[in-house]
């Protein structure tokens, strides 16, 4: 049976990536799923739920920490097709998303050591959603970015 991401109360929280972590990965052109009134942004252009980032045209180098829960697969599929970007998701390596869009398609993975302390919409560092995280690179430039990032963890180059 395919495993999808667990549904829990935590899926309603907007876990925002610490800006310091994204800075370690370089500059990004687009964040396709950013909050409506963000305390900070990670890219030059930011789509929100109002404009529906999933339906829009993506361009340039993408940073993506997609909405958690059901629907995650579509975001990873779109990034895979786009081919230039880094995603941050839970390291739930047994899920359908991993088997359909990551294991055979991504270029590298960086499993983060420890737990990321995410931010909330007020810009406060609130903690962890209780899962390990992994950065996923599509495109050789993004493999290099993971290699050079100095983010603590284990890098696995897949291609
Ligand atoms: C896990 S948060 C990450 C936010 C930000 N990218 C970051 O890492 O700091 C996911 C974001 O996706 C937004 N979102 C949900 N559905 C969306 C959609 N269809 N289009 C664009 N953004 C969406 C949510 O409002 C939320 O802010």
């Amino acid at each position: 049976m395919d495993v999808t991401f667990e549904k829990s109360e935590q899926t309603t929280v907007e876990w925002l990536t610490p800006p310091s972590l994204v800075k370690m990965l370089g500059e990004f052109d687009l964040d396709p799923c950013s909050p409506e009134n963000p305390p900070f942004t990670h890219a030059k252009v930011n789509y929100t739920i109002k404009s529906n980032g999933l339906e829009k045209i993506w361009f340039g180098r993408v940073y993506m920490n997609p909405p958690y829960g059901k629907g995650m697969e579509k975001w990873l599929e779109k990034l895979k097709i786009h081919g230039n970007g880094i995603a941050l998701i839970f390291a739930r390596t047994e899920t359908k998303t991993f088997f359909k869009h990551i294991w055979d398609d991504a270029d590298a993975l960086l499993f983060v050591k420890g737990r990321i302390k995410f931010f909330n919409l007020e810009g406060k560092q609130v903690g962890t959603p209780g899962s390990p995280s992994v950065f996923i690179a599509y495109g050789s430039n993004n493999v290099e970015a993971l290699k050079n990032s100095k983010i603590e963890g284990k890098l696995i180059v897949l291609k």
Side-chain angles (χ1 to χ4, degrees):
M1 192 183 76
D2 283 329
V3 182
T4 50
F5 281 85
E6 282 170 36
K7 208 176 169 200
S8 72
E9 277 177 42
Q10 289 165 340
T11 58
T12 58
V13 177
E14 303 218 11
W15 301 100
L16 311 183
T17 318
S20 57
L21 268 189
V22 184
K23 280 200 180 79
M24 291 166 92
L25 298 169
E27 292 207 338
F28 290 91
D29 300 301
L30 175 69
D31 179 343
C33 41
S34 182
E36 214 38 68
N37 294 300
F40 44 74
T41 55
H42 302 305
K44 291 175 196 141
V45 175
N46 299 276
Y47 297 154
T48 68
I49 195 163
K50 264 196 190 151
S51 54
N52 191 3
L54 203 48
E55 295 299 322
K56 290 185 70 101
I57 290 172
W58 292 9
F59 59 89
R61 186 165 183 248
V62 171
Y63 176 73
M64 183 182 89
N65 168 16
Y68 295 167
K70 266 188 161 183
M72 162 88 66
E73 209 185 308
K74 290 189 189 132
W75 292 91
L76 268 297
E77 181 177 24
K78 186 149 172 150
L79 186 60
K80 169 179 88 174
I81 292 165
H82 179 64
N84 180 12
I86 294 180
L88 175 66
I89 64 171
F90 291 150
R92 293 194 176 148
T93 54
E94 85 285 22
T95 54
K96 205 154 66 165
T97 298
F98 261 86
F99 279 86
K100 279 184 87 172
H101 305 303
I102 297 171
W103 286 128
D104 293 333
D105 301 298
D107 292 299
L109 307 175
L110 176 62
F111 288 89
V112 178
K113 186 174 178 191
R115 294 277 168 89
I116 294 177
K117 253 188 131 188
F118 288 86
F119 283 68
N120 66 12
L121 284 173
E122 284 73 51
K124 290 199 180 105
Q125 204 160 16
V126 282
T128 158
S131 294
S133 295
V134 60
F135 286 101
I136 300 153
Y138 295 92
S140 54
N141 54 327
N142 295 302
V143 177
E144 289 309 303
L146 289 187
K147 274 186 194 162
N148 299 329
S149 70
K150 298 196 169 67
I151 294 173
E152 258 199 293
K154 182 73 183 171
L155 179 78
I156 297 179
V157 178
L158 295 171
K159 288 184 181 168

